[in-house]
């Protein structure tokens, strides 16, 4: 049985997760119409960054599960490439928009509304590829549990792919306009980090009722250990000097492949990782 302290902590985590879900319900409506996500550009054919295409590889004819898929643009991009896709998000509005986009684009896709940590109660089966990318892990209070859930959906011979902001870079002050200044812990803390809400990362000037978002920092060691403990084999871990968003105010635009990315300016470029990606597989049976 759980102690009173454990029950209180779980109740607190539920409160934080509920606040984050309410925030994402607001953000979804902002994001769907934002220039940041550029839905019209996606409808016109814009696809996934070359990094993801190269590292995930050919998905034609494969079953692909997208965890924390938001309103489905990347999920449906994989469908365009021939994958049989299932997307999962905890936001009801995001799932509704994802289904509408799939119908408009005439793409076959399944979208499930569920908290990723509770996904086995809502979705069965397994997949050749389990995919998740950029801005996802920081919303999860229990990374070991996430690792078990993600691994549960990787079929023998399949793999999990993760692309995310590098936890080392995420420790620096994202609001300081002049220099890299350590602000946030690198290691996970018992209580989440609390961030005041100013619009959205996709539109800082948007009107949002929510006042606080909650996040959990996870070290690189915690990520790798969560997957290894869940029975997956980490095949590689890549660290990159580019970010998919303007991580710091002084970052400069850069072309990486055909897409716009962001990097540190001048001689700082290449001196610290901004993002990482990894592949963790389950051995084929027999």
């Amino acid at each position: 049985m759980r102690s009173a302290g454990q029950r209180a902590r779980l109740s607190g985590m539920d409160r934080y997760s509920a606040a984050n879900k309410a925030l994402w319900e607001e953000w979804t409506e902002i994001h769907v119409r934002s220039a940041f996500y550029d839905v019209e550009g996606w409808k016109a054919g814009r696809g996934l960054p070359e990094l993801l295409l190269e590292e995930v590889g050919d998905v034609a004819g494969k079953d692909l599960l997208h965890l924390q898929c938001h309103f489905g643009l990347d999920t449906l991009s994989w469908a365009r490439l021939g994958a049989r896709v299932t997307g999962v998000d905890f936001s009801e509005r995001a799932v509704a928009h994802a289904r509408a986009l799939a119908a408009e684009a005439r793409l076959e896709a399944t979208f499930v509304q569920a908290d990723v940590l509770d996904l086995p109660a809502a979705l069965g089966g397994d997949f050749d590829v389990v995919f998740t990318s950029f801005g996802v892990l920081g919303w999860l209070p229990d990374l070991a549990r996430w690792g078990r859930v993600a691994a549960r959906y990787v079929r023998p011979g399949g793999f999990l792919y993760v692309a995310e902001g590098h936890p080392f870079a995420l420790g620096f002050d994202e609001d300081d306009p002049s220099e890299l200044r350590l602000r946030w812990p690198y290691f996970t803390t018992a209580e989440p980090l609390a961030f005041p809400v100013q619009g959205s990362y996709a539109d800082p000037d948007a009107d949002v009722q929510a006042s606080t978002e909650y996040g959990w920092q996870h070290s690189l060691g915690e990520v790798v250990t969560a997957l290894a403990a869940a029975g997956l084999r980490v095949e590689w871990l890549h660290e990159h000097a580019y970010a998919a968003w303007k991580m710091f105010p002084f970052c400069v635009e850069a072309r990486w492949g055909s897409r716009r990315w962001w990097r540190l300016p001048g001689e700082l470029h290449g001196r610290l990782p901004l993002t990482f990606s990894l592949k963790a597989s389950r051995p084929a049976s027999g």
Side-chain angles (χ1 to χ4, degrees):
M1 295 179 63
R2 295 190 177 104
S3 67
Q6 288 174 318
R7 289 195 298 271
R9 185 170 184 274
L10 286 171
S11 177
M13 291 301 128
D14 290 342
R15 175 169 61 85
Y16 299 135
S17 295
N20 283 342
K21 182 181 177 185
L23 175 61
W24 276 96
E25 297 291 6
E26 285 195 82
W27 273 0
T28 295
E29 300 301 330
I30 296 166
H31 294 175
V32 167
R33 60 178 183 265
S34 70
F36 183 94
Y37 280 95
D38 186 19
V39 172
E40 294 305 314
W42 177 85
K43 290 178 181 178
R46 176 179 54 80
L48 295 154
E50 285 91 335
L51 172 69
L52 305 186
L53 296 174
E54 292 171 2
E55 292 190 332
V56 173
D58 184 12
V59 297
K62 294 183 178 180
D63 297 314
L64 183 147
L65 174 64
H66 185 179
L67 302 177
Q68 295 168 271
C69 71
H70 199 16
F71 64 95
L73 289 187
D74 285 358
T75 319
L76 296 172
S77 292
W78 291 118
R80 281 175 172 169
L81 295 172
R84 293 181 292 271
V85 300
T86 299
V88 176
D89 199 87
F90 71 166
S91 165
E92 294 176 11
R93 291 184 182 180
V95 168
H97 279 290
R99 289 170 177 163
L101 279 171
E104 183 178 352
R106 298 184 179 180
L107 291 169
E108 291 291 330
T110 299
F111 288 99
V112 178
Q113 191 266 315
D115 187 315
V116 66
L117 298 182
D118 298 321
L119 185 56
L123 179 68
D126 55 16
F127 297 81
D128 301 298
V129 180
V130 178
F131 170 86
T132 192
S133 76
F134 297 128
V136 290
L137 299 185
W139 299 96
L140 302 173
D142 188 341
L143 206 68
R145 183 174 170 186
W146 165 82
R148 293 191 294 272
V149 170
R152 177 252 179 271
Y153 288 103
V154 179
R155 67 177 45 142
F159 64 89
L160 166 72
Y161 176 84
V162 181
E164 183 57 285
H166 200 292
F168 181 74
L170 295 177
F172 291 97
D173 188 347
E174 68 276 16
D175 297 322
D176 193 318
S178 60
E179 63 181 0
L180 289 172
R181 181 171 63 88
L182 189 61
R183 181 179 182 184
W184 309 109
Y186 175 76
F187 299 105
T188 301
T189 54
E191 293 296 314
L193 304 176
F195 308 96
V197 174
Q198 178 62 51
S200 157
Y201 60 86
D203 184 356
D205 297 323
D207 183 24
V208 177
Q209 297 300 308
S211 61
T212 307
E213 65 172 288
Y214 298 95
W216 290 264
Q217 179 72 298
H218 301 293
S219 71
L220 205 55
E222 187 182 0
V223 175
V224 171
T225 300
L227 299 178
L232 298 181
R233 176 181 177 271
V234 177
E235 295 191 14
W236 45 254
L237 169 65
H238 298 156
E239 297 170 290
H240 312 286
Y242 297 87
W245 69 99
K246 195 173 185 179
M247 187 174 281
F248 306 108
F250 48 82
C251 281
V252 297
E253 290 188 30
R255 304 302 297 187
W256 196 21
S258 64
R259 297 287 292 272
R260 181 182 73 170
W261 292 71
W262 300 87
R263 64 170 179 80
L264 294 177
E267 64 181 13
L268 289 176
H269 175 52
R271 291 198 174 190
L272 68 85
L274 299 183
T275 55
F276 76 90
S277 54
L278 67 80
K279 179 181 180 180
S281 63
R282 184 181 299 284
S285 60

